[in-house]
Amino acid sequence: INRGHIFKSDTDTEVLVHLIEDIQNNVKVDLAEAVRLALNEVVGAYAIVLISQDEPDLLIGAKKGSPMVVGVGADEFFIASDATPIVEHTKNVVYLEDEEIAIIRRGQELKIKTIKNKNKTPYLQELEMQLEALEKGGYPHFMLKEIYEQPRSIKDTMRGRIDKEKLRAGLGGL
């Protein structure tokens, strides 16, 4: 606020974008470097994907504590929280590790670096998913399917852990 930033919400996401912009403008670095520097200040989990109207051929993804996968196709890339929605487009993926940043520029190869500025060689893995895993179950997109499947997912997670007679949950190993 003292540097002239005007916030339209109370979300941490908006604060992060303003921090990235502030670093880019005041330290005079490119967007990828500004993201890297800003993420060194972040406390907690995140999974972010950024695109700038100033650089529409650049896509930056980063994660810590949340899942993120980069699909690598023929002259195309995909970013998602899981491989399921991208497997119909490519079988080759890179799973980002915590505090890694994917830098994707149109016409170039995928670059991975850490928030500590260490370049990493992307570890390409081939997906082996069945058609059943691809099906959206009649929903228009995977996110909606996941939302409606939450009760079943919780039930499946708790299967064998609930003793209805003793009214106890056995959560061994957690």
Side-chain angles (χ1 to χ4, degrees):
I1 292 172
N2 291 340
R3 291 186 183 206
H5 292 273
I6 299 168
F7 294 90
K8 297 178 181 166
S9 73
D10 292 327
T11 65
D12 50 359
T13 304
E14 184 183 4
V15 173
L16 180 58
V17 171
H18 280 279
L19 177 60
I20 292 167
E21 178 186 38
D22 193 71
I23 290 171
Q24 190 174 15
N25 291 336
N26 291 304
V27 183
K28 305 296 185 213
V29 294
D30 65 18
L31 181 60
E33 180 64 3
V35 169
R36 187 189 72 75
L37 292 171
L39 290 178
N40 277 285
E41 304 299 321
V42 172
V43 175
Y46 57 83
I48 61 168
V49 178
L50 295 102
I51 188 168
S52 169
Q53 64 185 10
D54 297 333
E55 294 184 77
D57 291 335
L58 174 65
L59 192 64
I60 301 170
K63 70 155 277 214
K64 179 181 177 184
S66 296
M68 184 173 286
V69 61
V70 178
V72 180
D75 297 321
E76 60 187 351
F77 296 93
F78 307 88
I79 297 180
S81 61
D82 182 69
T84 307
I86 62 175
V87 72
E88 62 188 295
H89 304 288
T90 182
K91 299 275 190 227
N92 298 312
V93 297
V94 174
Y95 290 96
L96 288 186
E97 299 294 326
D98 281 349
E99 297 186 343
E100 285 185 347
I101 303 167
I103 303 165
I104 301 167
R105 195 175 296 276
R106 188 184 311 272
Q108 295 183 12
E109 291 189 14
L110 171 66
K111 287 176 58 178
I112 305 285
K113 67 173 24 183
T114 68
I115 67 170
K116 302 297 182 203
N117 206 24
K118 180 181 176 192
N119 290 318
K120 303 211 43 190
T121 301
Y123 176 60
L124 202 62
Q125 298 182 48
E126 187 173 338
L127 295 175
E128 295 179 19
M129 299 186 106
Q130 302 296 325
L131 182 61
E132 180 182 314
L134 289 175
E135 292 181 9
K136 299 178 209 161
Y139 295 99
H141 47 79
F142 285 101
M143 183 178 288
L144 194 58
K145 179 180 186 237
E146 289 175 354
I147 289 169
Y148 281 99
E149 287 181 345
Q150 286 177 355
R152 184 181 56 88
S153 296
I154 291 170
K155 183 178 177 182
D156 290 347
T157 301
M158 299 306 293
R159 184 179 298 123
R161 298 179 183 270
I162 303 293
D163 184 338
K164 292 179 184 177
E165 291 179 21
K166 294 182 181 177
L167 300 175
R168 296 193 67 176
L171 303 177
L174 296 179

